[in-house]
């Protein structure tokens, strides 16, 4: 029997056994069925969901990914279309806000999600462009070694993970090391950029459905970012997707000139409009929208 108030339905922790229901819910909202992505998120973060009162799987999901105690990302906020507008989104988001404690919470909002996030105290602090297309490296000179400039090479976990995490915590401002360790099995490629033996950036490319996602990309400057993106994407047999700040005009027009146009925009929102830690000028592309 359906309770009178769906927003009072219990929220429970999700596990890997819920994967098929998460994907069914995504499909209900015309999102792709991305099993590898859900698996990574449920294993490295905390998934929460609301069971359908009529026994038909899940009617709501959200994933909280903590980065140490200071910051956390919110993603995969979904409510079944047949339960839309009945307070489930508010209930799930309120639940993760309570779970997150003092951590600074951030997320990428679609135009559908933004009104709900604004109601619960998130503020837009930037715009993110999703770019999708067949990357055409052309005769791009980046990626090869050159005097005084960064070049990229495949990363090796034993040799590079510690330095990569040390660079990342400076840039991201919170500890992503557990997730970054997983990158080596999740991604098809992880590369590091170096200049004169010093680490100047890193990047990864991972597959989901029919697209190769390029991210995260951390780079000390645009030239290093171009080297990493070119080397990660030059042999892609499919469309690439990369999410980066709208303000990065030089990189976004470079991507447009290499066959990767803008396909959508999301709002980067932070709860309470709090300042995020780290040096985000070097955080070029996000890992994925659910993770920042
Ligand atoms: C976005 C989504 C999660 C909202 O869930 P929901 O259960 O319908 O939202 P709620 O009923 O809890 O709404 C909470 C509040 O936000 C408001 N709200 C939610 N969506 C809104 C919209 N699109 N426009 C205006 N207001 C909206 C509601 O009016 C409500 O306000 P109130 O509590 O003051 O009455 C749901 O529409 C969804 O799954 N959409 C598709 C997937 C998606 O885009 N997810 C967001 C990714 S960033």
């Amino acid at each position: 029997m359906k309770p009178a108030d769906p927003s009072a339905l219990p929220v429970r922790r999700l596990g890997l056994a819920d994967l098929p229901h998460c994907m069914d819910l995504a499909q209900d909202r015309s999102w792709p069925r991305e099993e590898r992505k859900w698996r990574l998120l449920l294993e490295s973060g905390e998934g929460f969901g609301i069971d359908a009162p009529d026994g038909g799987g899940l009617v709501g999901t959200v994933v909280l990914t903590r980065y140490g105690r200071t910051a956390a990302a919110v993603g995969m906020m979904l409510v079944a279309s047949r339960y839309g507008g009945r307070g489930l989104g508010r209930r799930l988001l309120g639940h993760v806000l309570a779970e997150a404690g003092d951590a600074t919470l951030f997320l990428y909002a679609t135009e559908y999600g933004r009104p709900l996030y604004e109601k619960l105290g998130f503020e837009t602090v930037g715009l993110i462009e999703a770019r999708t297309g067949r990357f055409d490296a052309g005769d791009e000179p980046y990626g090869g070694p050159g005097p005084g400039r960064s070049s990229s090479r495949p990363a090796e976990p034993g040799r590079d993970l510690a330095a990569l995490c040390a660079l990342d915590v400076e840039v991201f401002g919170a500890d992503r090391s557990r997730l970054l360790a997983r990158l080596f099995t999740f991604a098809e490629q992880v590369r590091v950029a170096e200049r004169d033996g010093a680490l100047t950036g890193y990047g990864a490319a991972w597959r989901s459905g029919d697209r190769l996602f390029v991210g995260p990309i951390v780079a000390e400057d645009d030239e290093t970012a171009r080297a990493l993106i070119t080397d990660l994407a030059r042999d892609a047999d499919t469309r690439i997707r990369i999410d980066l700040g709208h303000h990065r005009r030089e990189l976004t027009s470079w991507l447009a000139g290499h066959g990767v146009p803008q396909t959508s925009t999301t709002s980067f929102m932070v709860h309470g409009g709090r300042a995020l830690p780290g040096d985000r000028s070097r955080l070029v592309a996000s890992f994925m929208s659910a993770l920042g």
Side-chain angles (χ1 to χ4, degrees), residues 29 31 77-80 83-91 107-117 119-120:
R29 286 294 194 171
W31 287 14
M77 178 84 228
L78 280 161
V79 169
Y83 273 84
R86 296 166 72 177
L88 268 60
R90 181 184 271 276
R91 174 141 174 78
L107 54 80
Y108 289 78
T110 63
E111 60 182 304
Y112 306 106
R114 200 175 61 243
L116 165 66
Y117 302 133
K119 290 211 167 198
L120 273 82

Side-chain angles (χ1 to χ4, degrees), residues 11-271:
V11 176
R12 70 167 174 87
R13 183 76 191 267
L14 299 177
L16 289 181
D18 296 301
L19 269 174
H21 295 312
C22 292
M23 289 191 293
D24 289 347
L25 185 55
Q27 189 171 348
D28 171 69
R29 286 294 194 171
S30 304
W31 287 14
R33 296 178 71 88
E34 298 176 289
E35 182 173 355
R36 293 186 69 237
K37 181 167 145 183
W38 276 103
R39 181 179 290 276
L40 176 80
L41 291 168
L42 292 182
E43 284 179 348
S44 52
E46 292 154 54
F48 299 98
I50 296 178
D51 289 311
D54 51 13
L58 291 167
V59 289
T61 56
V62 65
V63 177
L64 174 70
T65 305
R66 297 176 203 264
Y67 299 115
R69 298 164 79 92
T70 47
V74 179
M76 307 318 258
M77 178 84 228
L78 280 161
V79 169
S81 43
R82 69 184 191 282
Y83 273 84
R86 296 166 72 177
L88 268 60
R90 181 184 271 276
R91 174 141 174 78
L92 284 161
L93 192 57
H95 188 85
V96 294
L97 281 169
E99 286 283 325
D102 286 338
T104 302
L105 272 184
F106 58 87
L107 54 80
Y108 289 78
T110 63
E111 60 182 304
Y112 306 106
R114 200 175 61 243
L116 165 66
Y117 302 133
E118 283 171 347
K119 290 211 167 198
L120 273 82
F122 284 83
E123 292 177 23
T124 298
V125 297
L127 291 179
I128 305 294
E129 290 185 3
R131 297 189 150 261
T132 311
R134 289 296 290 229
F135 181 74
D136 174 12
D139 48 10
E140 195 55 58
Y142 305 104
R149 96 173 176 227
S150 296
S151 62
S152 99
R153 63 163 172 84
E156 299 161 29
R159 175 178 171 194
D160 298 309
L161 182 60
L164 193 153
C165 290
L167 172 65
D168 191 74
V169 78
E170 261 177 49
V171 173
F172 196 74
D175 182 8
R176 289 202 284 186
S177 54
R178 277 191 351 174
L179 194 60
L180 296 177
R182 298 189 67 120
L183 201 53
F184 284 87
T185 46
F186 181 72
E188 280 189 4
Q189 289 188 67
V190 183
R191 299 186 74 93
V192 287
E194 290 171 325
R195 192 186 54 243
D196 304 327
L199 194 67
T200 54
Y202 76 88
W206 53 277
R207 201 169 286 268
S208 187
D210 61 352
R211 286 172 300 173
L212 186 71
F213 284 70
V214 176
I217 301 281
V218 164
E220 67 169 11
D221 54 26
D222 284 351
E223 184 178 60
T224 306
R226 290 193 300 263
L228 284 164
I229 296 166
T230 302
D231 289 346
L232 289 164
R234 82 163 70 241
D235 296 325
D237 55 1
T238 182
R239 292 176 305 153
I240 70 157
R241 154 94 181 248
I242 180 165
D243 293 1
L244 72 180
H246 175 72
H247 61 283
R248 295 187 178 274
R249 299 320 305 163
E250 197 275 338
L251 276 177
T252 55
S253 59
W254 174 80
L255 282 164
H258 286 74
V260 188
Q262 181 178 356
T263 41
S264 63
T265 306
T266 50
S267 303
F268 183 49
M269 305 185 84
V270 182
H271 194 246

